[in-house]
Amino acid sequence: MITLTPERVSPTTNERVSALRVRILRDPSFGILALLVVVCGVMAFTEPTFATAGNLTNIINAMMTVSFLAIGMTVVLIAGGLDLSVGSVMALSAGVVASCLNNGMPLAVAFVAALGVGAGIGLVNGLLITKLGIPDFIATLAMLGLAGGFLLYWTAGVPILGYMTDAYYYIGGLRQIAGPVTVPMLLVLAVGVAVSILLRRTTYGVKFYAVGSSPTGAKNAGIRVDRIKIAAYVISGLMAAIAGIHIAGRTTTVPPLIGNGYEISAIAAAVIGGASLFGGKGRVIGALVGALTLTLTRNIINLTGVESSWQAVVTGLVLILAVLANQAWSGIARSIGASRS
Amino acid sequence: MKAPSSVPVEAQRPAEAPHLRMTDIHKRFQGVQALNGVSLLVRGGEIHALLGGNGAGKSTLLNVLSGLVTPDSGRIELAGQEVSIGHPREAQALGISTIHQELSTVPDLTVLENIFLGREEALTGKGSLFVNRRQIARRIQDLAGEFGITKSELWRPVGDFGALKKRVIEIVKALAVPPKVLILDEPTSGLEEHEKTLLFEHMRSLQRRGVALIWVTHHLDEVFGLADVVTVMRDGRTIARTETAELTPRELAVQMFGGDATELMEAADAVPARRRVDGDDAHPRLRALNLSRHGVLRDISFDVERGEILGIAGLAGAGRTELVRALMGLDKLHSGRIEIDGKPRRIGHPKVAYKAGLAMVPEDRKQLGILPDLSVAENISVSELGSVTAGGVLRSRRERALADSYIKSLGIKTPGPAEPIRNLSGGNQQKAIIARCLNTEPSILIFDEPTQGIDIHAKAEVHRLIRDVAEKGTSVIVIASEFAELISLCDRVVVMNRGALVGEIRDIPHRVATDGYDAVKHAIIDKASRADR
């Protein structure tokens, strides 16, 4: 064979830009984001209090807890699992922080203890699922009951109070550090960027997608499937602990049932953001968009004076709508991608 | 990267010591002795064919080597050192790479990610935590390009592609990091001629570089052109290890199946006696008129007579599967009409197709055909539950009796009708699916790649079965990628190219007698590929 002049190896700028455009367009959270922009636009015109700095800051502050949980849930969903225990783990971590502080321990020790509890429960979840073969749904449902029940027994049903310190007011987000900016906002940003880099830019992150998409294929490729799954649950446990640290600082009391229902919000946010219950799909940015969607919905319900008993109904409808929007969008996006190659 | 032919030929054939030696490997699965003292000896720079019928234990042996199965006993030595392989990761670390028979790509990852998955170290540099996808893409895009994967396709999820491309992706994955031992488990199934040729060239190039290649195939003709040594397995044992040069195909068949099976195979190879096809009825059994589906099928018309075996030839992507899917009501037709026995039928759903007398044995047995966890009996009765119910209630005794009769008449090898079908070998699963179709008493039976992935013995049996069905008056439509199969099986072959019918070869048995086999084959290939590439 005759050697030809070496072909261009790097894609042309044009190709690169169009590849990037396809990737952004194909991202499922793009459809939701477009929807949110429209909704916000309409709200800004119809509801004068909506587009005020105060209200927007409220929305951001209110979405922090679910954001942490949703990031962890997204990691688990990507790896093909499901973590129902996050609400209880968050509550238990919050309880651990509060009682550590009440016992005179420094803030750092209390936080490390809470993170340890979260990671530990995540590890147990992972081991139950991978080593004992208990289905994800069952193992984490059991842990939801165990962790929640333990907190209830431990506190005898009485809320934990009086643990707040000056620094904790900042960390919980009740005091701003500069303008409207609070520590939780920076923390969500930092955690989000870190997990996103882990998932999308490291050799380790690809394995989560591989395990969730096809455990057999992943094993054949030489991946230790069990370890990845366990790691996903540990990450989810850690995120729940961070959410617990945050919520204890924000509410200044820890009632034992503080975590009730949060697992549902976390799953909803992750799924709205494009994570799949069948594994292999999901992004951190999607989780944040999902958390924003849920919080925005609640905010709009409050502002427009819809009776609060309708809140759950509306949230349910939003979930269905959001997922439908995702599906419609990925259908459109696929045809864009296909016509391009 | 260079083309395979540019690899220096003087690359020394490495040491004579066996590269891989497996000794006395035993493995038992739930009462089944899958491996019963198997030994395998492969030298570096050797293409070693591993042959045997379905259920001979080849796949288990390969799984031991690739770390998916831990043997009960036995010894594995690599380059003279004993090794234990407990996980695919360890196999890879030892330089053992596998192209799996079952597609094992990860659908949600991109082609690129699939290729580097599990080989990050080799492709991104040791200890590097971050992946630079663009850099890896540059490293592999020439290799990928040789196999027809474009640069932009590297960035698309594997789930977007069909089975054929997935196999090619697996091949590129295995070649991306040059292995020391390469296992190829039926790597060519479903590939087109030029892709096969390319793969063979790569195999030779790896051979010249001293790689030990272990190659499982059901195509004996390929073995004689390529393999240096053949090891034959039967019933979990090694039967013989022979230099290919000292073997004849007949001896090989005897090694694989014992003395009695060769007759059956020869019967299958022989061109059947001229069969008459009743064309004298007023209406053909099936008449398709101007069938079209946007972008897939273009204005297709053909007839099938009673008792006729009609073959559909064409390259991958020509629209063969799409055509039969539309006939079965699995995909929508945008125009055209279908007549069965002269009556026009609208088939919008498979249920309607069954009612109209159509049945299909689908292409991908594992994904579309079998219900893996259900029993053989349930798999057979599921399409026509009316045959095993009384007053709307399922009668398991009837179901078992029905299954028993098919097990006997089709020769399905199973411990019993209650056995989960996943435990059967490929050929026997295929027969159970055929039984399911026969149980709907179809007047038109469609086979999409009926013998893919089953051994030549089972293949001969499936061919005989298809002929029997046609002999009894059922019209048969067969899709097969192997032209040899179509020519030996069909009364008539229509050829598809880019969604349209582009030709027809009539009176095949007669033609083979007069024009010769190769002339007919070339007539088909010519029509199938004209104006295509």
Side-chain angles (χ1 to χ4, degrees):
Chain A
M1 200 187 289
I2 308 155
T3 318
L4 302 167
T5 17
E7 216 189 316
R8 286 190 65 114
V9 277
S10 63
T12 63
T13 326
N14 236 345
E15 272 175 325
R16 232 179 248 171
V17 169
S18 72
L20 183 71
R21 202 161 61 197
V22 168
R23 244 184 301 163
I24 291 172
L25 286 179
R26 278 190 77 152
D27 197 304
S29 48
F30 190 85
I32 302 292
L33 213 50
L35 198 69
L36 290 189
V37 169
V38 172
V39 169
C40 288
V42 172
M43 281 301 292
F45 277 104
T46 56
E47 201 63 53
T49 44
F50 179 78
T52 60
N55 187 49
L56 295 181
T57 324
N58 271 346
I59 293 173
I60 302 290
N61 280 324
M63 71 177 269
M64 293 296 119
T65 311
V66 177
S67 297
F68 289 119
L69 295 177
I71 290 172
M73 187 65 73
T74 298
V75 174
V76 171
L77 288 175
I78 288 170
L82 180 70
D83 191 350
L84 292 176
S85 70
V86 293
S88 285
V89 176
M90 176 183 86
L92 186 58
S93 307
V96 167
V97 174
S99 86
C100 282
L101 293 179
N102 275 345
N103 285 307
M105 292 181 208
L107 214 49
V109 174
F111 289 174
V112 169
L115 291 172
V117 166
I121 293 178
L123 181 67
V124 173
N125 276 336
L127 291 173
L128 287 174
I129 289 158
T130 56
K131 302 301 173 192
L132 298 182
I134 300 173
D136 304 69
F137 187 96
I138 304 300
T140 57
L141 182 66
M143 193 54 77
L144 173 75
L146 284 173
F150 178 74
L151 181 63
L152 203 57
Y153 164 79
W154 178 35
T155 59
V158 181
I160 309 175
L161 311 158
Y163 52 82
M164 292 302 286
T165 65
D166 257 4
Y168 208 3
Y169 277 102
Y170 284 103
I171 292 166
L174 288 177
R175 285 184 197 155
Q176 293 79 15
I177 43 174
V181 177
T182 62
V183 173
M185 291 181 197
L186 299 179
L187 197 59
V188 162
L189 214 60
V191 166
V193 168
V195 175
S196 194
I197 286 176
L198 171 83
L199 288 175
R200 310 295 296 188
R201 293 271 170 260
T202 66
T203 54
Y204 193 59
V206 182
K207 295 177 183 172
F208 288 82
Y209 289 91
V211 165
S213 183
S214 164
T216 330
K219 188 177 179 195
N220 282 341
I223 292 170
R224 293 191 185 89
V225 173
D226 285 2
R227 289 196 190 180
I228 296 294
K229 265 209 133 163
I230 292 170
Y233 280 100
V234 170
I235 291 173
S236 175
L238 276 173
M239 289 299 150
I242 295 176
I245 291 170
H246 165 253
I247 203 168
R250 187 168 170 77
T251 55
T252 69
T253 60
V254 179
L257 299 180
I258 193 169
N260 272 20
Y262 268 95
E263 59 283 338
I264 302 302
S265 301
I267 295 169
V271 170
I272 289 172
S276 163
L277 289 177
F278 300 110
K281 292 191 178 75
R283 297 190 67 174
V284 170
I285 184 75
L288 297 181
V289 169
L292 179 62
T293 310
L294 292 180
T295 315
L296 206 57
T297 308
R298 202 161 303 153
N299 183 262
I300 290 172
I301 288 171
N302 290 339
L303 284 188
T304 51
V306 175
E307 211 183 315
S308 65
S309 49
W310 281 96
Q311 189 165 309
V313 176
V314 175
T315 309
L317 289 174
V318 165
L319 180 59
I320 291 173
L321 220 85
V323 173
L324 285 178
N326 266 348
Q327 288 175 352
W329 186 257
S330 56
I332 297 166
R334 185 162 302 140
S335 62
I336 297 171
S339 69
R340 220 161 251 292
S341 50
Chain B
M1 215 188 83
K2 330 104 240 179
S5 52
S6 68
V7 170
V9 184
E10 66 272 18
Q12 78 290 27
R13 233 178 123 109
E16 279 304 301
H19 201 65
L20 172 78
R21 187 198 287 273
M22 300 174 85
T23 321
D24 205 23
I25 308 281
H26 285 79
K27 178 70 193 180
R28 204 175 170 79
F29 290 115
Q30 297 151 13
V32 181
Q33 191 74 43
L35 297 179
N36 198 356
V38 174
S39 297
L40 184 69
L41 195 155
V42 186
R43 294 179 198 282
E46 176 176 285
I47 297 183
H48 193 114
L50 181 63
L51 305 180
N54 289 130
K58 294 166 300 180
S59 291
T60 311
L61 186 69
L62 297 186
N63 284 342
V64 166
L65 205 50
S66 57
L68 289 166
V69 166
T70 315
D72 299 334
S73 66
R75 199 180 150 83
I76 305 173
E77 286 166 62
L78 202 63
Q81 291 215 304
E82 179 162 11
V83 293
S84 82
I85 308 168
H87 189 276
R89 182 161 205 93
E90 289 162 25
Q92 255 164 45
L94 292 167
I96 301 172
S97 209
T98 308
I99 298 171
H100 290 276
Q101 177 189 3
E102 307 291 334
L103 298 174
S104 70
T105 44
V106 178
D108 288 318
L109 297 189
T110 62
V111 174
L112 185 70
E113 286 166 340
N114 264 282
I115 289 171
F116 74 69
L117 191 66
R119 299 142 194 276
E120 296 84 1
E121 290 209 342
L123 283 168
T124 63
K126 270 211 159 46
S128 147
L129 175 64
F130 295 96
V131 269
N132 185 342
R133 288 177 172 75
R134 209 162 279 145
Q135 182 198 335
I136 299 177
R138 273 198 295 275
R139 281 187 67 160
I140 61 169
Q141 66 192 11
D142 290 323
L143 176 70
E146 278 185 53
F147 282 91
I149 299 171
T150 64
K151 285 178 207 166
S152 65
E153 279 173 342
L154 285 175
W155 300 92
R156 285 173 56 191
V158 166
D160 284 7
F161 299 105
L164 193 74
K165 198 106 193 182
K166 285 180 186 155
R167 183 165 298 282
V168 174
I169 292 165
E170 282 213 64
I171 293 170
V172 173
K173 179 182 171 73
L175 298 178
V177 180
K180 292 200 186 90
V181 177
L182 180 62
I183 300 169
L184 306 105
D185 195 356
E186 291 199 45
T188 57
S189 74
L191 293 196
E192 286 173 23
E193 286 302 328
H194 72 278
E195 287 166 325
K196 283 185 196 173
T197 314
L198 190 62
L199 176 65
F200 292 155
E201 274 175 33
H202 272 277
M203 286 168 68
R204 279 204 197 286
S205 136
L206 289 171
Q207 176 191 25
R208 279 193 293 270
R209 278 182 259 180
V211 175
L213 293 101
I214 305 172
W215 175 35
V216 169
T217 178
H218 287 316
H219 300 275
L220 299 189
D221 48 334
E222 294 173 357
V223 170
F224 283 94
L226 203 58
D228 304 308
V229 183
V230 179
T231 290
V232 172
M233 288 179 66
R234 198 164 80 210
D235 302 327
R237 289 172 212 270
T238 323
I239 298 298
R241 179 184 192 280
T242 327
E243 302 271 331
T244 317
E246 296 163 10
L247 266 178
T248 65
R250 198 191 157 79
E251 285 165 354
L252 193 55
V254 173
Q255 284 184 1
M256 285 170 70
F257 301 106
D260 54 333
T262 48
E263 251 175 66
L264 176 64
M265 284 163 43
E266 276 162 15
D269 282 345
V271 174
R274 174 86 188 95
R275 299 180 38 244
R276 35 102 302 265
V277 170
D278 291 332
D280 46 310
D281 289 301
H283 302 289
R285 173 60 61 66
L286 172 75
R287 167 163 283 175
L289 284 168
N290 313 105
L291 304 185
S292 289
R293 178 173 155 77
H294 299 329
V296 186
L297 302 174
R298 289 184 290 147
D299 198 25
I300 292 180
S301 301
F302 64 93
D303 292 347
V304 190
E305 304 291 345
R306 251 168 219 84
E308 182 182 31
I309 305 179
L310 174 74
I312 304 180
L315 302 174
R320 299 166 303 172
T321 297
E322 290 77 3
L323 173 61
V324 295
R325 281 180 61 86
L327 286 178
M328 285 301 295
L330 289 160
D331 290 331
K332 211 181 137 203
L333 282 169
H334 292 110
S335 68
R337 55 196 243 135
I338 296 170
E339 287 176 12
I340 293 173
D341 292 323
K343 272 177 274 174
R345 295 278 196 164
R346 289 187 59 85
I347 299 172
H349 188 273
K351 189 88 201 164
V352 184
Y354 277 121
K355 283 242 168 71
L358 283 152
M360 174 159 90
V361 179
E363 175 182 23
D364 191 341
R365 190 166 61 236
K366 286 268 158 56
Q367 309 224 342
L368 309 171
I370 63 167
L371 306 165
D373 293 320
L374 298 191
S375 69
V376 174
E378 286 163 327
N379 265 284
I380 291 175
S381 63
V382 68
S383 284
E384 186 51 56
L385 287 169
S387 62
V388 292
T389 52
V393 178
L394 208 58
R395 293 301 168 92
S396 55
R397 194 177 301 158
R398 279 197 199 185
E399 193 173 59
R400 235 173 300 135
L402 177 83
D404 272 328
S405 75
Y406 278 115
I407 288 170
K408 232 165 99 193
S409 64
L410 304 190
I412 303 172
K413 270 192 216 142
T414 168
E419 187 74 11
I421 198 166
R422 63 156 79 238
N423 295 346
L424 269 57
S425 70
N428 286 305
Q429 289 178 355
Q430 188 71 318
K431 286 189 212 164
I433 298 295
I434 295 173
R436 176 198 293 174
C437 290
L438 292 178
N439 190 39
T440 66
E441 297 180 348
S443 57
I444 303 154
L445 187 49
I446 302 170
F447 292 89
D448 193 355
E449 300 286 2
T451 59
Q452 201 166 64
I454 65 179
D455 69 50
I456 47 174
H457 186 216
K459 188 168 168 176
E461 288 188 333
V462 168
H463 281 184
R464 196 178 54 187
L465 221 135
I466 292 174
R467 289 202 190 97
D468 284 352
V469 169
E471 204 64 51
K472 288 181 188 135
T474 305
S475 304
V476 177
I477 300 175
V478 178
I479 294 177
S481 296
E482 277 179 61
F483 299 110
E485 181 165 15
L486 287 175
I487 294 169
S488 73
L489 193 61
C490 300
D491 302 310
R492 187 159 61 97
V493 172
V494 292
V495 185
M496 287 188 75
N497 187 358
R498 297 180 171 190
L501 282 193
V502 293
E504 185 181 32
I505 317 274
R506 287 186 165 275
D507 303 330
I508 288 187
H510 178 65
R511 284 212 177 192
V512 170
T514 53
D515 306 351
Y517 173 85
D518 281 338
V520 179
K521 178 177 164 184
H522 285 122
I524 293 176
I525 292 179
D526 181 48
K527 288 196 167 78
S529 53
R530 191 172 298 161
D532 209 67
R533 44 189 109 240

